[in-house]
Amino acid sequence: MPEIKKQIPLLNPDGTITEEGWARSPLWTYNRENIAASKLRIKEWDYYSILSPTKEFGITLTASDLGYAGLFAICFLDFKKGIFQQIDTLSVFPLGKTGFPKVNDLGVVSFQDKKLHLRFETKDGKRTLEFGSDQFLAPDGSKGIQGKIELWEPKMDTMNIATSWKENRKAFYYNTKINCMPAGGQVSVGNTKYQFDAKTDFGALDWGRGVWTYKNRWYWGSVSAWIGEKPFGLNLGYGFSDRTPASENVILYDGKIHKLDEVKFIINTNDYMAPWKFQSNDNRLDLDFKPIVDRNSYMNFLIIKTIQHQVFGTFNGTVVLDDGKKIKLENVLGFAEDVLNHY
């Protein structure tokens, strides 16, 4: 699996990836002008997950420009009650005009319509996430959600990958996953206020740019937690693009990436709330996962169809670092998902 260690352009003039592989920082320069596909097919997205294991709640925020449609969502999760509440909206033919930055460490993404508003600003190692909706229906029946969350990005490794599809090498996936960003701020959900604490709570980012084939099923899991007074993260994923050159399976421990090979998700697809298992082919990861809430959704707008199970729960088991050190996970909050998309 080639590790990229120098700054390079992402795409050749013909739209193929210059060098496929993985990296510990975003070393590919996203050159949108070299994409060899219609603007209708370019996908750009920022997805944030901010979880509080001590107060047992979380927020996820989605902003995406899929070329012929934009998808934006705010989701509140209550882990005590095992419930979620979401509001989402579609924009028509944004064609890249949403304004996603070419880099993940600077810039603003904003969107507003009658249903909700989102604004993500990144500057000087800090991410400010502002969001709200008057139409959001809180779990207690009251209305509205408003929030401002700040994430601080310490100097640390991140997971970065650039891969393409076997059936079309001009279809590509360029992705950064940033775990373990301390999270502070407040969210008002209906009549209830929730506070994030940067000493205990973390945010994670899924930052992606690409051109996809039409039908894809992917698996993704993510953890950001404190273990033994050290920040600990997991990013696990497969099924999306040809992963022969690189996987996105990593352990993040105390700011450093420890690379894993292949990881398998063992899921009862008839019951996503049944326990899951995760195992790696190099015997460095063996985890059990106990679901708390299945953030499931089904959407069918003719050409756009998605069946999503993003399941939040707790991980137990062991992972092994590059130097052979074993890390034990005990009831560590995170999520894993099984998503089938046509778009």
Side-chain angles (χ1 to χ4, degrees):
M1 289 193 179
E3 180 182 352
I4 307 302
K5 296 187 175 179
K6 63 181 189 298
Q7 197 83 34
I8 53 173
L10 175 65
L11 300 174
N12 292 308
D14 68 354
T16 57
I17 297 176
T18 55
E19 203 171 337
E20 299 194 27
W22 71 279
R24 297 169 199 270
S25 59
L27 292 175
W28 292 269
T29 304
Y30 177 53
N31 46 352
R32 199 177 198 272
E33 63 278 6
N34 281 8
I35 292 176
S38 154
K39 283 185 178 178
L40 289 166
R41 293 188 52 229
I42 300 172
K43 317 278 192 259
E44 300 180 328
W45 70 95
D46 290 6
Y47 166 84
Y48 287 94
S49 160
I50 309 98
L51 307 180
S52 177
T54 52
K55 294 172 187 164
E56 298 183 80
F57 77 98
I59 290 280
T60 70
L61 304 169
T62 306
S64 62
D65 185 326
L66 308 173
Y68 46 75
L71 178 62
F72 305 87
I74 302 167
C75 179
F76 172 76
L77 299 134
D78 184 328
F79 301 124
K80 281 181 190 163
K81 294 179 181 169
I83 58 172
F84 76 97
Q85 201 73 22
Q86 177 166 314
I87 188 162
D88 47 50
T89 190
L90 283 171
S91 67
V92 182
F93 293 114
L95 298 171
K97 294 192 290 288
T98 312
F100 284 85
K102 288 187 174 185
V103 294
N104 67 41
D105 59 356
L106 184 69
V108 175
V109 177
S110 64
F111 174 83
Q112 181 163 356
D113 71 0
K114 289 175 184 173
K115 284 180 84 173
L116 60 82
H117 64 87
L118 295 167
R119 187 178 189 277
F120 307 155
E121 180 174 6
T122 306
K123 190 179 178 184
D124 299 330
K126 186 170 88 169
R127 297 171 186 274
T128 305
L129 316 177
E130 295 177 86
F131 55 93
S133 167
D134 294 334
Q135 294 184 28
F136 182 89
L137 186 64
D140 66 359
S142 57
K143 274 201 161 182
I145 187 167
Q146 302 290 332
K148 181 178 180 180
I149 299 168
E150 292 181 323
L151 305 178
W152 292 270
E153 193 177 336
K155 294 250 183 295
M156 61 179 176
D157 291 347
T158 56
M159 191 297 299
N160 303 269
I161 189 172
T163 51
S164 62
W165 273 260
K166 275 180 187 166
E167 60 269 39
N168 179 5
R169 293 297 179 192
K170 294 179 181 180
F172 68 93
Y173 169 66
Y174 178 33
N175 186 235
T176 297
K177 302 274 188 9
I178 305 177
N179 292 73
C180 299
M181 291 184 282
Q186 187 174 280
V187 183
S188 297
V189 182
N191 300 321
T192 311
K193 284 190 167 66
Y194 296 84
Q195 192 78 34
F196 285 104
D197 182 347
K199 292 188 178 118
T200 55
D201 304 339
F202 280 128
L205 168 65
D206 169 7
W207 182 97
R209 309 290 184 259
V211 168
W212 307 348
T213 53
Y214 175 61
K215 181 182 176 183
N216 288 283
R217 183 174 188 172
W218 71 73
Y219 303 89
W220 176 38
S222 180
V223 168
S224 293
W226 289 99
I227 294 184
E229 298 182 0
K230 303 278 190 193
F232 171 89
L234 277 179
N235 187 80
L236 311 173
Y238 64 99
F240 194 60
S241 73
D242 175 10
R243 296 297 171 91
T244 312
S247 85
E248 64 175 86
N249 299 314
V250 300
I251 303 162
L252 178 72
Y253 185 68
D254 199 17
K256 298 292 176 201
I257 289 275
H258 300 255
K259 191 75 180 66
L260 298 170
D261 190 26
E262 292 179 19
V263 173
K264 180 95 173 136
F265 291 28
I266 301 159
I267 313 165
N268 178 353
T269 53
N270 294 317
D271 180 7
Y272 283 89
M273 292 298 287
W276 300 26
K277 278 191 82 68
F278 299 81
Q279 293 172 332
S280 67
N281 63 343
D282 52 15
N283 296 316
R284 288 179 51 192
L285 179 141
D286 189 0
L287 297 173
D288 293 300
F289 177 67
K290 186 180 176 187
I292 298 170
V293 57
D294 176 9
R295 179 194 168 210
N296 60 83
S297 63
Y298 173 80
M299 187 169 65
N300 190 350
F301 294 102
L302 300 178
I303 56 168
I304 299 177
K305 182 181 173 184
T306 176
I307 304 167
Q308 171 179 298
H309 291 273
Q310 184 182 37
V311 181
F312 293 79
T314 52
F315 288 84
N316 287 275
T318 55
V319 300
V320 180
L321 304 183
D322 288 344
D323 62 4
K325 180 179 177 178
K326 276 192 176 178
I327 306 288
K328 193 172 183 187
L329 281 68
E330 295 181 30
N331 295 321
V332 173
L333 184 66
F335 65 82
E337 67 182 30
D338 175 3
V339 174
L340 174 64
N341 271 332
H342 300 68
Y343 56 51

